[in-house]
Amino acid sequence: MRKHNIALTRFGRKVKGSYQSYGLGVKLAAVVILGLCFVFIWSVFSPSSYSVAYQRDTFDDIREPISSANRKKVTSLVPSTKKEQPHNKKLKHRSSSGEKKKRVDRSSLPSKSGGWHKNDKSGVDRKRKGEDLKLPKKVDKVKEQELEGSETDVLEKENEEDKIGNDKQEEEKKVVEVKENEKEKTENNSKQEGEGVDGEENEKEEIESNKEEEGEGEGEGEAEGEGTVDGNEGNGEIANTEELDQEAAEKVEDEDEKAKDNGKKNKNLGPLFDPKAHYTWNLCSTRSKHNYIPCIDFESASGKLQNYRHHERSCPKAPQMCLVPLPPGGYETPVSWPESKSKIHYKNVAHPKLEAYVKKGSWVVESGDHLIFPTDQSIPKGGIQHYLDFIEEMVPDIEWGKNIRVVLDIGCEDSSFGASLLEKDVLTLTLGLKDDLVDLAQVALERGFPAVVTPFGTRRLPFPSGVFDTIHCNDCHASWHSNGGKHLIEMNRILRPGGYFILSSKHSSIEVEEGMSTLTASICWNILADKTDEISDIRIKLYQKPQANDIYQLRRKKVPPLCKANENPDASWYVPIKSCLHTIPESIEQRGTEWPEEWPKRLETYPEWMNNREKLIADSEHWKAIVDHSYLVGLGIEWSQIRNVMDMKAINGGFAAALAQQKVWVMNVIPVHAPNTLPVIFERGLIGVYHDWCEAFGTYPRSYDLLHADHLFSRLKNRCKHPIVIVVEMDRILRPGGWGIIRDKVEILDPLEKILRSLHWEIRMTFAKDKEGILCAQKTMWRP
């Protein structure tokens, strides 16, 4: 034991000696190593090479979004390792799926209380404490997302340093609230992803919360692209379909890919209309002048084009910010209905081809300043009434105004077909197709008959499948048998199972006869009658679409083939015509298995396939109360002067149904991004089309007497590149003296009222309650 202790003592002395010899060197080496580490860390994280987004110390230097006129003074709030960008360029930042924290550019978000209206003429500050921010409602935690913030104006810090200390604590609290709200909304909205929506809504639900309305389109499987409030970037066209053709894909592909990649919609990035913007208007300078139809007419400056019309819908790249001029001879208040059926003002519809066309036709006579339409004259000899009676004699099952209510008339000539059917309670929609302004859709609209102008080339017509009771073509010059019979296949798509196709002509070649015979047999249409009227010398063929799928299996050649089960037959906006036949519904729960009730019982009948029939009934009662107690008596509108009406965001046709007893017709427009409720409208015996309001509508200028927009603008928020073009389009299609009824959020109506005043519209009435309001305005004759 003693020897062991002595050995330990000697070992300790040796260690102590070694420490004394080398201790100084170890200390120096440690200091040098620590110093080098410090230098390395400093060089990496120094401000000169700082490459990650930093947390702001203050938000005092951020102001509200500025108008487009002052966008040159914009800088980025996020530092970048790249070369500094010019101040007038918009910078983007992408937050990856691996980031745990996401920073939000607060300057791009509007206040809940409409705080951006605080500088309006009323002098009322609507900005409320604690309601400064409104964040995007949905955040995808898995997929990569891209937030394109609107441009912001940064104040000079030198003038704000004295305010930073006082406002710093308050702003930091707001940042915490923002993050908490974002987290809550993320959890709530993530549960709503993928939920189906029936598409039924009423005004009460929209007033209480616009969240439900903005989320409806998802349940219908429609792709919604991201948008931005900036004037240079944003969402252009929206497609609701599959397999776009190459030209249409250029308009929608980018936005659809963004929606798929991000898995969400980018909402509420700023106000719909810039409250600080000032507008200066100019007249359009186009080849078609006062009859200009954007997306349909050419805008060539060369003047060498022989036709005015595109063969396909093609919109100008630049936004339509000019106003269509009045006719060169002036404009007269349209003749009131029903006198307009037989007489209209010539100057209101004047165009280069009309004068020559009037001289050739016997059904229209120029009399002074008017065009007269004699009741005993029509294109068919013997009169249009004889023509209709002859059709009923050929097929007794056709009862105009009873089982036949909704008719599509291909090609527009004298409008006598639709005019005579209107007296039998048949609603006929005329489709103006012809090039070079030969069609007379504008004359039909001036007379007070429903009409829409659209090219009919390689794309589907803007209607759902199986909705028209009858389709009529009287020398409409359509080559039904050419190009694989695609045009007739499109007629088969929109025709109701068991519906009728009426084809009449005076002259047809053997080649056309053989081609039509082969084609109609291949799509299993049954020819019910083929006769020539001795009085009119018109040969009429009556076909009927099959009512069951069994007959398709009996064909020797399965050409055209049946469409795939997953192909949507209602998809039509910028969708190419398919060379296939959609199967006919067979289950009682499917639309199209039963023929609708006779008119007028049809208007208030809701078949089994309509979901939530109770809501549809409540919606109809709701709009009837509004129309009867407000629109007809409380807005100062002289309804005897109203004939052509458009519901710019129809849902189930409740507004149109409420006007059924009035002497008006209503064009029900279903926005392409909204739930597909257009079949419900047709089932009720009403008419309508699909449309994207980021583009111009297919009609002539000065076509409608009244435009109704119920929460249209709030639905289009951050969807269009330039939302102002919607107002410009309203000014184009509304007649001087016409009315606009707009129901929406106050934060939208306030700047909208300013825009309408800049267009010299007269504001007749405004009313607001609980952040919702109504604006009633009347267009004047003013042109810049």
Side-chain angles (χ1 to χ4, degrees), residues 110-111 116 134 210 214 227-229 266-273 673 712-720 723 745 747-748:
S111 66
W116 287 344
K134 190 173 183 180
N210 200 39
E214 292 176 338
T228 172
V229 297
N266 196 6
K267 296 180 181 178
N268 298 326
L269 295 181
L272 185 68
F273 301 113
H673 62 275
L712 170 70
F713 292 97
S714 57
R715 284 296 301 269
L716 291 175
K717 190 171 184 179
N718 301 317
R719 178 170 297 278
C720 304
K745 296 180 176 297
E747 63 185 26
I748 291 176

PDB file of all heavy atoms in Angstrom, residues 110-111 116 134 210 214 227-229 266-273 673 712-720 723 745 747-748:
ATOM      1  N   PRO A 110     -55.641  44.345 -47.136  1.00  0.00           N
ATOM      2  CA  PRO A 110     -56.614  45.380 -46.816  1.00  0.00           C
ATOM      3  C   PRO A 110     -57.126  45.243 -45.403  1.00  0.00           C
ATOM      4  O   PRO A 110     -57.040  44.198 -44.782  1.00  0.00           O
ATOM      5  CB  PRO A 110     -57.734  45.101 -47.829  1.00  0.00           C
ATOM      6  CG  PRO A 110     -57.661  43.633 -48.028  1.00  0.00           C
ATOM      7  CD  PRO A 110     -56.214  43.258 -47.907  1.00  0.00           C
ATOM      8  N   SER A 111     -57.689  46.307 -44.906  1.00  0.00           N
ATOM      9  CA  SER A 111     -58.285  46.265 -43.577  1.00  0.00           C
ATOM     10  C   SER A 111     -59.671  45.664 -43.660  1.00  0.00           C
ATOM     11  O   SER A 111     -60.356  45.750 -44.656  1.00  0.00           O
ATOM     12  CB  SER A 111     -58.377  47.680 -43.001  1.00  0.00           C
ATOM     13  OG  SER A 111     -59.275  48.444 -43.748  1.00  0.00           O
ATOM     14  N   TRP A 116     -59.054  51.557 -46.312  1.00  0.00           N
ATOM     15  CA  TRP A 116     -58.466  52.283 -47.419  1.00  0.00           C
ATOM     16  C   TRP A 116     -59.395  53.338 -47.989  1.00  0.00           C
ATOM     17  O   TRP A 116     -59.053  54.057 -48.897  1.00  0.00           O
ATOM     18  CB  TRP A 116     -58.067  51.300 -48.522  1.00  0.00           C
ATOM     19  CG  TRP A 116     -56.873  50.518 -48.133  1.00  0.00           C
ATOM     20  CD1 TRP A 116     -56.001  50.802 -47.133  1.00  0.00           C
ATOM     21  CD2 TRP A 116     -56.425  49.310 -48.711  1.00  0.00           C
ATOM     22  NE1 TRP A 116     -55.041  49.848 -47.058  1.00  0.00           N
ATOM     23  CE2 TRP A 116     -55.263  48.911 -48.013  1.00  0.00           C
ATOM     24  CE3 TRP A 116     -56.867  48.511 -49.760  1.00  0.00           C
ATOM     25  CZ2 TRP A 116     -54.553  47.778 -48.324  1.00  0.00           C
ATOM     26  CZ3 TRP A 116     -56.161  47.386 -50.068  1.00  0.00           C
ATOM     27  CH2 TRP A 116     -55.017  47.016 -49.356  1.00  0.00           C
ATOM     28  N   LYS A 134     -56.304  41.828 -43.011  1.00  0.00           N
ATOM     29  CA  LYS A 134     -57.137  40.726 -43.458  1.00  0.00           C
ATOM     30  C   LYS A 134     -56.246  39.780 -44.235  1.00  0.00           C
ATOM     31  O   LYS A 134     -55.780  40.085 -45.312  1.00  0.00           O
ATOM     32  CB  LYS A 134     -58.271  41.230 -44.351  1.00  0.00           C
ATOM     33  CG  LYS A 134     -59.303  40.146 -44.654  1.00  0.00           C
ATOM     34  CD  LYS A 134     -60.478  40.741 -45.381  1.00  0.00           C
ATOM     35  CE  LYS A 134     -61.544  39.708 -45.638  1.00  0.00           C
ATOM     36  NZ  LYS A 134     -62.698  40.238 -46.347  1.00  0.00           N
ATOM     37  N   ASN A 210     -69.019  36.405 -46.642  1.00  0.00           N
ATOM     38  CA  ASN A 210     -68.647  36.172 -48.031  1.00  0.00           C
ATOM     39  C   ASN A 210     -67.695  35.000 -48.165  1.00  0.00           C
ATOM     40  O   ASN A 210     -67.316  34.620 -49.248  1.00  0.00           O
ATOM     41  CB  ASN A 210     -67.979  37.437 -48.604  1.00  0.00           C
ATOM     42  CG  ASN A 210     -68.013  37.433 -50.119  1.00  0.00           C
ATOM     43  OD1 ASN A 210     -69.010  37.020 -50.705  1.00  0.00           O
ATOM     44  ND2 ASN A 210     -66.946  37.879 -50.747  1.00  0.00           N
ATOM     45  N   GLU A 214     -67.054  32.651 -51.556  1.00  0.00           N
ATOM     46  CA  GLU A 214     -65.759  32.557 -52.205  1.00  0.00           C
ATOM     47  C   GLU A 214     -65.270  31.131 -52.272  1.00  0.00           C
ATOM     48  O   GLU A 214     -64.419  30.791 -53.078  1.00  0.00           O
ATOM     49  CB  GLU A 214     -64.746  33.419 -51.460  1.00  0.00           C
ATOM     50  CG  GLU A 214     -65.036  34.912 -51.601  1.00  0.00           C
ATOM     51  CD  GLU A 214     -64.085  35.742 -50.779  1.00  0.00           C
ATOM     52  OE1 GLU A 214     -63.513  35.189 -49.819  1.00  0.00           O
ATOM     53  OE2 GLU A 214     -63.917  36.914 -51.090  1.00  0.00           O
ATOM     54  N   GLY A 227     -54.461  35.267 -58.223  1.00  0.00           N
ATOM     55  CA  GLY A 227     -54.549  36.594 -58.804  1.00  0.00           C
ATOM     56  C   GLY A 227     -53.740  37.569 -58.004  1.00  0.00           C
ATOM     57  O   GLY A 227     -53.198  37.269 -56.963  1.00  0.00           O
ATOM     58  N   THR A 228     -53.667  38.763 -58.486  1.00  0.00           N
ATOM     59  CA  THR A 228     -52.964  39.834 -57.790  1.00  0.00           C
ATOM     60  C   THR A 228     -53.604  41.144 -58.142  1.00  0.00           C
ATOM     61  O   THR A 228     -54.168  41.301 -59.209  1.00  0.00           O
ATOM     62  CB  THR A 228     -51.471  39.863 -58.165  1.00  0.00           C
ATOM     63  OG1 THR A 228     -50.890  41.030 -57.605  1.00  0.00           O
ATOM     64  CG2 THR A 228     -51.257  39.873 -59.648  1.00  0.00           C
ATOM     65  N   VAL A 229     -53.544  42.074 -57.229  1.00  0.00           N
ATOM     66  CA  VAL A 229     -54.165  43.358 -57.464  1.00  0.00           C
ATOM     67  C   VAL A 229     -53.288  44.268 -58.277  1.00  0.00           C
ATOM     68  O   VAL A 229     -53.709  45.328 -58.695  1.00  0.00           O
ATOM     69  CB  VAL A 229     -54.504  44.058 -56.125  1.00  0.00           C
ATOM     70  CG1 VAL A 229     -55.489  43.258 -55.352  1.00  0.00           C
ATOM     71  CG2 VAL A 229     -53.236  44.279 -55.315  1.00  0.00           C
ATOM     72  N   ASN A 266     -55.127  32.480 -53.904  1.00  0.00           N
ATOM     73  CA  ASN A 266     -54.519  33.640 -53.265  1.00  0.00           C
ATOM     74  C   ASN A 266     -55.564  34.734 -53.206  1.00  0.00           C
ATOM     75  O   ASN A 266     -55.973  35.259 -54.234  1.00  0.00           O
ATOM     76  CB  ASN A 266     -53.310  34.101 -54.081  1.00  0.00           C
ATOM     77  CG  ASN A 266     -52.424  35.036 -53.285  1.00  0.00           C
ATOM     78  OD1 ASN A 266     -52.657  35.242 -52.102  1.00  0.00           O
ATOM     79  ND2 ASN A 266     -51.425  35.581 -53.928  1.00  0.00           N
ATOM     80  N   LYS A 267     -56.025  35.053 -52.019  1.00  0.00           N
ATOM     81  CA  LYS A 267     -57.162  35.948 -51.887  1.00  0.00           C
ATOM     82  C   LYS A 267     -56.805  37.190 -51.082  1.00  0.00           C
ATOM     83  O   LYS A 267     -55.888  37.224 -50.299  1.00  0.00           O
ATOM     84  CB  LYS A 267     -58.330  35.245 -51.186  1.00  0.00           C
ATOM     85  CG  LYS A 267     -58.899  34.077 -51.976  1.00  0.00           C
ATOM     86  CD  LYS A 267     -60.041  33.487 -51.173  1.00  0.00           C
ATOM     87  CE  LYS A 267     -60.641  32.305 -51.901  1.00  0.00           C
ATOM     88  NZ  LYS A 267     -61.716  31.690 -51.129  1.00  0.00           N
ATOM     89  N   ASN A 268     -57.633  38.206 -51.296  1.00  0.00           N
ATOM     90  CA  ASN A 268     -57.620  39.390 -50.443  1.00  0.00           C
ATOM     91  C   ASN A 268     -56.232  40.020 -50.331  1.00  0.00           C
ATOM     92  O   ASN A 268     -55.788  40.363 -49.249  1.00  0.00           O
ATOM     93  CB  ASN A 268     -58.142  39.025 -49.046  1.00  0.00           C
ATOM     94  CG  ASN A 268     -59.572  38.533 -49.098  1.00  0.00           C
ATOM     95  OD1 ASN A 268     -60.355  38.997 -49.923  1.00  0.00           O
ATOM     96  ND2 ASN A 268     -59.902  37.597 -48.240  1.00  0.00           N
ATOM     97  N   LEU A 269     -55.563  40.157 -51.447  1.00  0.00           N
ATOM     98  CA  LEU A 269     -54.256  40.791 -51.424  1.00  0.00           C
ATOM     99  C   LEU A 269     -54.363  42.304 -51.515  1.00  0.00           C
ATOM    100  O   LEU A 269     -53.358  42.984 -51.450  1.00  0.00           O
ATOM    101  CB  LEU A 269     -53.409  40.257 -52.585  1.00  0.00           C
ATOM    102  CG  LEU A 269     -53.069  38.768 -52.497  1.00  0.00           C
ATOM    103  CD1 LEU A 269     -52.216  38.379 -53.668  1.00  0.00           C
ATOM    104  CD2 LEU A 269     -52.360  38.451 -51.197  1.00  0.00           C
ATOM    105  N   GLY A 270     -55.520  42.829 -51.679  1.00  0.00           N
ATOM    106  CA  GLY A 270     -55.667  44.272 -51.755  1.00  0.00           C
ATOM    107  C   GLY A 270     -57.069  44.635 -52.187  1.00  0.00           C
ATOM    108  O   GLY A 270     -57.906  43.778 -52.435  1.00  0.00           O
ATOM    109  N   PRO A 271     -57.367  45.923 -52.297  1.00  0.00           N
ATOM    110  CA  PRO A 271     -58.706  46.350 -52.703  1.00  0.00           C
ATOM    111  C   PRO A 271     -58.947  46.029 -54.162  1.00  0.00           C
ATOM    112  O   PRO A 271     -58.031  45.989 -54.975  1.00  0.00           O
ATOM    113  CB  PRO A 271     -58.668  47.865 -52.462  1.00  0.00           C
ATOM    114  CG  PRO A 271     -57.226  48.224 -52.618  1.00  0.00           C
ATOM    115  CD  PRO A 271     -56.458  47.058 -52.081  1.00  0.00           C
ATOM    116  N   LEU A 272     -60.221  45.791 -54.501  1.00  0.00           N
ATOM    117  CA  LEU A 272     -60.559  45.486 -55.882  1.00  0.00           C
ATOM    118  C   LEU A 272     -60.294  46.688 -56.774  1.00  0.00           C
ATOM    119  O   LEU A 272     -59.696  46.566 -57.841  1.00  0.00           O
ATOM    120  CB  LEU A 272     -62.027  45.074 -55.973  1.00  0.00           C
ATOM    121  CG  LEU A 272     -62.494  44.615 -57.351  1.00  0.00           C
ATOM    122  CD1 LEU A 272     -61.831  43.301 -57.705  1.00  0.00           C
ATOM    123  CD2 LEU A 272     -64.000  44.459 -57.386  1.00  0.00           C
ATOM    124  N   PHE A 273     -60.719  47.853 -56.338  1.00  0.00           N
ATOM    125  CA  PHE A 273     -60.482  49.086 -57.072  1.00  0.00           C
ATOM    126  C   PHE A 273     -59.569  49.991 -56.246  1.00  0.00           C
ATOM    127  O   PHE A 273     -59.748  50.110 -55.038  1.00  0.00           O
ATOM    128  CB  PHE A 273     -61.794  49.817 -57.358  1.00  0.00           C
ATOM    129  CG  PHE A 273     -62.772  49.018 -58.161  1.00  0.00           C
ATOM    130  CD1 PHE A 273     -63.958  48.591 -57.599  1.00  0.00           C
ATOM    131  CD2 PHE A 273     -62.497  48.683 -59.478  1.00  0.00           C
ATOM    132  CE1 PHE A 273     -64.865  47.850 -58.332  1.00  0.00           C
ATOM    133  CE2 PHE A 273     -63.396  47.940 -60.211  1.00  0.00           C
ATOM    134  CZ  PHE A 273     -64.581  47.526 -59.644  1.00  0.00           C
ATOM    135  N   HIS A 673     -66.093  30.586 -63.044  1.00  0.00           N
ATOM    136  CA  HIS A 673     -65.445  30.112 -61.822  1.00  0.00           C
ATOM    137  C   HIS A 673     -66.464  29.787 -60.735  1.00  0.00           C
ATOM    138  O   HIS A 673     -66.086  29.287 -59.681  1.00  0.00           O
ATOM    139  CB  HIS A 673     -64.482  31.179 -61.298  1.00  0.00           C
ATOM    140  CG  HIS A 673     -65.172  32.455 -60.919  1.00  0.00           C
ATOM    141  ND1 HIS A 673     -65.444  33.436 -61.838  1.00  0.00           N
ATOM    142  CD2 HIS A 673     -65.649  32.898 -59.731  1.00  0.00           C
ATOM    143  CE1 HIS A 673     -66.056  34.437 -61.223  1.00  0.00           C
ATOM    144  NE2 HIS A 673     -66.194  34.139 -59.952  1.00  0.00           N
ATOM    145  N   LEU A 712     -71.149  40.409 -57.541  1.00  0.00           N
ATOM    146  CA  LEU A 712     -70.280  40.003 -58.644  1.00  0.00           C
ATOM    147  C   LEU A 712     -68.841  40.421 -58.398  1.00  0.00           C
ATOM    148  O   LEU A 712     -67.911  39.637 -58.570  1.00  0.00           O
ATOM    149  CB  LEU A 712     -70.784  40.621 -59.958  1.00  0.00           C
ATOM    150  CG  LEU A 712     -69.840  40.483 -61.157  1.00  0.00           C
ATOM    151  CD1 LEU A 712     -69.777  39.032 -61.619  1.00  0.00           C
ATOM    152  CD2 LEU A 712     -70.288  41.390 -62.306  1.00  0.00           C
ATOM    153  N   PHE A 713     -68.643  41.654 -57.965  1.00  0.00           N
ATOM    154  CA  PHE A 713     -67.284  42.184 -57.837  1.00  0.00           C
ATOM    155  C   PHE A 713     -66.520  41.520 -56.699  1.00  0.00           C
ATOM    156  O   PHE A 713     -65.323  41.277 -56.808  1.00  0.00           O
ATOM    157  CB  PHE A 713     -67.339  43.697 -57.647  1.00  0.00           C
ATOM    158  CG  PHE A 713     -67.820  44.429 -58.865  1.00  0.00           C
ATOM    159  CD1 PHE A 713     -69.147  44.819 -58.981  1.00  0.00           C
ATOM    160  CD2 PHE A 713     -66.962  44.717 -59.903  1.00  0.00           C
ATOM    161  CE1 PHE A 713     -69.602  45.485 -60.100  1.00  0.00           C
ATOM    162  CE2 PHE A 713     -67.400  45.390 -61.029  1.00  0.00           C
ATOM    163  CZ  PHE A 713     -68.725  45.777 -61.135  1.00  0.00           C
ATOM    164  N   SER A 714     -67.187  41.222 -55.602  1.00  0.00           N
ATOM    165  CA  SER A 714     -66.492  40.550 -54.506  1.00  0.00           C
ATOM    166  C   SER A 714     -66.075  39.140 -54.895  1.00  0.00           C
ATOM    167  O   SER A 714     -65.075  38.625 -54.393  1.00  0.00           O
ATOM    168  CB  SER A 714     -67.388  40.519 -53.259  1.00  0.00           C
ATOM    169  OG  SER A 714     -68.630  39.894 -53.539  1.00  0.00           O
ATOM    170  N   ARG A 715     -66.827  38.500 -55.787  1.00  0.00           N
ATOM    171  CA  ARG A 715     -66.426  37.184 -56.269  1.00  0.00           C
ATOM    172  C   ARG A 715     -65.242  37.257 -57.223  1.00  0.00           C
ATOM    173  O   ARG A 715     -64.503  36.293 -57.385  1.00  0.00           O
ATOM    174  CB  ARG A 715     -67.592  36.499 -56.969  1.00  0.00           C
ATOM    175  CG  ARG A 715     -68.648  35.950 -56.047  1.00  0.00           C
ATOM    176  CD  ARG A 715     -68.120  34.840 -55.166  1.00  0.00           C
ATOM    177  NE  ARG A 715     -67.603  33.736 -55.927  1.00  0.00           N
ATOM    178  CZ  ARG A 715     -68.322  32.692 -56.303  1.00  0.00           C
ATOM    179  NH1 ARG A 715     -69.600  32.628 -56.003  1.00  0.00           N
ATOM    180  NH2 ARG A 715     -67.774  31.710 -56.979  1.00  0.00           N
ATOM    181  N   LEU A 716     -65.086  38.395 -57.895  1.00  0.00           N
ATOM    182  CA  LEU A 716     -64.009  38.542 -58.875  1.00  0.00           C
ATOM    183  C   LEU A 716     -62.758  39.157 -58.273  1.00  0.00           C
ATOM    184  O   LEU A 716     -61.796  39.423 -58.991  1.00  0.00           O
ATOM    185  CB  LEU A 716     -64.483  39.413 -60.043  1.00  0.00           C
ATOM    186  CG  LEU A 716     -65.551  38.787 -60.936  1.00  0.00           C
ATOM    187  CD1 LEU A 716     -66.023  39.788 -61.964  1.00  0.00           C
ATOM    188  CD2 LEU A 716     -65.027  37.543 -61.620  1.00  0.00           C
ATOM    189  N   LYS A 717     -62.746  39.365 -56.976  1.00  0.00           N
ATOM    190  CA  LYS A 717     -61.593  39.999 -56.342  1.00  0.00           C
ATOM    191  C   LYS A 717     -60.341  39.167 -56.561  1.00  0.00           C
ATOM    192  O   LYS A 717     -60.314  37.972 -56.322  1.00  0.00           O
ATOM    193  CB  LYS A 717     -61.856  40.171 -54.842  1.00  0.00           C
ATOM    194  CG  LYS A 717     -60.819  41.043 -54.158  1.00  0.00           C
ATOM    195  CD  LYS A 717     -61.251  41.348 -52.731  1.00  0.00           C
ATOM    196  CE  LYS A 717     -60.274  42.287 -52.066  1.00  0.00           C
ATOM    197  NZ  LYS A 717     -60.673  42.625 -50.701  1.00  0.00           N
ATOM    198  N   ASN A 718     -59.276  39.824 -57.019  1.00  0.00           N
ATOM    199  CA  ASN A 718     -57.978  39.189 -57.284  1.00  0.00           C
ATOM    200  C   ASN A 718     -58.053  38.126 -58.368  1.00  0.00           C
ATOM    201  O   ASN A 718     -57.203  37.254 -58.446  1.00  0.00           O
ATOM    202  CB  ASN A 718     -57.405  38.561 -56.006  1.00  0.00           C
ATOM    203  CG  ASN A 718     -57.206  39.576 -54.916  1.00  0.00           C
ATOM    204  OD1 ASN A 718     -56.728  40.677 -55.179  1.00  0.00           O
ATOM    205  ND2 ASN A 718     -57.588  39.234 -53.711  1.00  0.00           N
ATOM    206  N   ARG A 719     -59.096  38.162 -59.212  1.00  0.00           N
ATOM    207  CA  ARG A 719     -59.200  37.195 -60.292  1.00  0.00           C
ATOM    208  C   ARG A 719     -58.815  37.826 -61.626  1.00  0.00           C
ATOM    209  O   ARG A 719     -58.157  37.183 -62.446  1.00  0.00           O
ATOM    210  CB  ARG A 719     -60.632  36.658 -60.372  1.00  0.00           C
ATOM    211  CG  ARG A 719     -60.850  35.686 -61.499  1.00  0.00           C
ATOM    212  CD  ARG A 719     -62.204  35.019 -61.371  1.00  0.00           C
ATOM    213  NE  ARG A 719     -62.265  34.245 -60.136  1.00  0.00           N
ATOM    214  CZ  ARG A 719     -61.764  33.029 -60.009  1.00  0.00           C
ATOM    215  NH1 ARG A 719     -61.135  32.466 -60.999  1.00  0.00           N
ATOM    216  NH2 ARG A 719     -61.878  32.380 -58.872  1.00  0.00           N
ATOM    217  N   CYS A 720     -59.234  39.028 -61.888  1.00  0.00           N
ATOM    218  CA  CYS A 720     -58.936  39.703 -63.140  1.00  0.00           C
ATOM    219  C   CYS A 720     -57.681  40.562 -62.992  1.00  0.00           C
ATOM    220  O   CYS A 720     -57.417  41.111 -61.927  1.00  0.00           O
ATOM    221  CB  CYS A 720     -60.102  40.587 -63.574  1.00  0.00           C
ATOM    222  SG  CYS A 720     -61.663  39.710 -63.734  1.00  0.00           S
ATOM    223  N   PRO A 723     -59.630  44.767 -62.815  1.00  0.00           N
ATOM    224  CA  PRO A 723     -61.075  44.713 -62.541  1.00  0.00           C
ATOM    225  C   PRO A 723     -61.849  45.901 -63.103  1.00  0.00           C
ATOM    226  O   PRO A 723     -63.057  45.795 -63.314  1.00  0.00           O
ATOM    227  CB  PRO A 723     -61.130  44.689 -61.007  1.00  0.00           C
ATOM    228  CG  PRO A 723     -59.800  44.158 -60.576  1.00  0.00           C
ATOM    229  CD  PRO A 723     -58.821  44.648 -61.586  1.00  0.00           C
ATOM    230  N   LYS A 745     -70.316  44.607 -51.125  1.00  0.00           N
ATOM    231  CA  LYS A 745     -69.743  45.133 -49.897  1.00  0.00           C
ATOM    232  C   LYS A 745     -69.482  46.630 -50.038  1.00  0.00           C
ATOM    233  O   LYS A 745     -69.156  47.118 -51.120  1.00  0.00           O
ATOM    234  CB  LYS A 745     -68.439  44.398 -49.556  1.00  0.00           C
ATOM    235  CG  LYS A 745     -68.639  42.917 -49.259  1.00  0.00           C
ATOM    236  CD  LYS A 745     -67.305  42.261 -48.944  1.00  0.00           C
ATOM    237  CE  LYS A 745     -67.537  40.791 -48.555  1.00  0.00           C
ATOM    238  NZ  LYS A 745     -68.341  40.643 -47.343  1.00  0.00           N
ATOM    239  N   GLU A 747     -67.008  48.349 -49.024  1.00  0.00           N
ATOM    240  CA  GLU A 747     -65.632  48.646 -49.403  1.00  0.00           C
ATOM    241  C   GLU A 747     -65.417  48.542 -50.906  1.00  0.00           C
ATOM    242  O   GLU A 747     -64.441  49.087 -51.429  1.00  0.00           O
ATOM    243  CB  GLU A 747     -64.677  47.683 -48.685  1.00  0.00           C
ATOM    244  CG  GLU A 747     -64.861  46.230 -49.057  1.00  0.00           C
ATOM    245  CD  GLU A 747     -63.988  45.289 -48.239  1.00  0.00           C
ATOM    246  OE1 GLU A 747     -63.639  45.652 -47.111  1.00  0.00           O
ATOM    247  OE2 GLU A 747     -63.681  44.195 -48.748  1.00  0.00           O
ATOM    248  N   ILE A 748     -66.330  47.880 -51.604  1.00  0.00           N
ATOM    249  CA  ILE A 748     -66.279  47.824 -53.057  1.00  0.00           C
ATOM    250  C   ILE A 748     -67.167  48.888 -53.681  1.00  0.00           C
ATOM    251  O   ILE A 748     -66.803  49.513 -54.682  1.00  0.00           O
ATOM    252  CB  ILE A 748     -66.702  46.426 -53.551  1.00  0.00           C
ATOM    253  CG1 ILE A 748     -65.636  45.392 -53.170  1.00  0.00           C
ATOM    254  CG2 ILE A 748     -66.937  46.396 -55.052  1.00  0.00           C
ATOM    255  CD1 ILE A 748     -65.979  43.967 -53.526  1.00  0.00           C
TER     256      ILE A 748
END
